[in-house]
Amino acid sequence: MSSRADGRQWLPAGRTAAVCLSVDDVHPGRSSDHYEAGGDLDAGVLGRLARLLEGHPQLRATLFVTPEWRERSPVPTRSRLARVPVVRDHAHLTPPLPRGTMRLDRHPAFVDYLRHGPFEIAVHGLSHLARGPRPPHEFARTGHAGARRRLRRARELFAACDLEASAGFCPPGWELPAGLERALVREDFRWVSAARDIHTPIARDARTAMSGPRGLSLLAPQTIAGGRLVHLPVNFQATSDDARADAILGCGGLLSIKAHAVKDACGHIALDGLDDAYRDRLDTLFERLRARHGEGLWWTTMDELATHVGQQASTPGDGS
Ligand SMILES: [Zn+2]
């Protein structure tokens, strides 16, 4: 079976395809707050994930953590303001959480849980909040300089509580404008996961055409930004069927599974929120993949994948 899912031999020797799992929107929110996003520790979504990992020792998970979460609702709640032209583009259409409420250093038990858990940590914005009609699209209008400031501040907040984050990034709202892409390069990020497509039919040369950047490989890591970033697609979630997973792996691709830490954000239900039903679905899927695809599967993380691809890209004579 070929592993040239994107014209490049990106899989390690002996592997026929790869699997990774990532969870977005992780922050210290508890069920006693607006919604739980990891802050309930073992009793909440992170405990659910930890038990899934225990049941599947080969499985690993990347948590995209927002170091100062300020988004209260993913959709505008100030409906009168949202109808006022011009003003609506420059106002917070959902009241932000007060500064510091969810800042990592204010939640030492949460940070401790992440630090000692079986998780890989990566950066999911600074606040997950923007003015205007799309509250999660934090970087839509920051420009290059504003994006760099936010990336630096995010890293400062991780460092301030001694929580190690990999050099990877997932943009809130899936939006990767050119200014953010350049900012990631300048701030020495090595990889980004910005394109999600759970609809385009699976084929070796399939391209992303849903959320985030379009035209990137749907099945494989690929370098972008002039070779200075590795992009990792998302192509599977709770609503995807087993046939999609089999098709991706049958093409020698990366099965990149997404979940969200928050299931119910003020009545806005995430289809891929990691509740008990999604946990059970993944449990069954992983059993099946192990039985069907065996030892050839590379169960990896986004950072490990990006590191491997980066090393290949810098190796002369790799056929690229
Ligand atoms: Zn998010």
Side-chain angles (χ1 to χ4, degrees), residues 12 19 37 57 67 89 92 110 114 122 135 143 155-156 171 235 245 279 283 303 314:
V19 183
D89 293 326
H92 282 299
F110 173 77
L114 291 187
R155 277 191 161 154
E156 284 171 9
N235 48 34
R279 190 265 324 271
D283 187 43
D303 190 62
S314 62

Side-chain angles (χ1 to χ4, degrees), residues 71-86:
E71 178 194 298
R72 206 182 294 248
S73 163
V75 295
T77 53
R78 291 170 161 160
S79 50
R80 273 169 53 188
L81 201 57
R83 288 197 293 270
V84 183
V86 184

Side-chain angles (χ1 to χ4, degrees), residues 24-26 64 66 69 71 124-125 128 136 170-174 260:
D24 285 8
D25 298 351
V26 177
F64 286 107
T66 304
W69 183 274
E71 178 194 298
H124 191 42
H128 212 281
C170 172
W174 306 102
H260 275 74

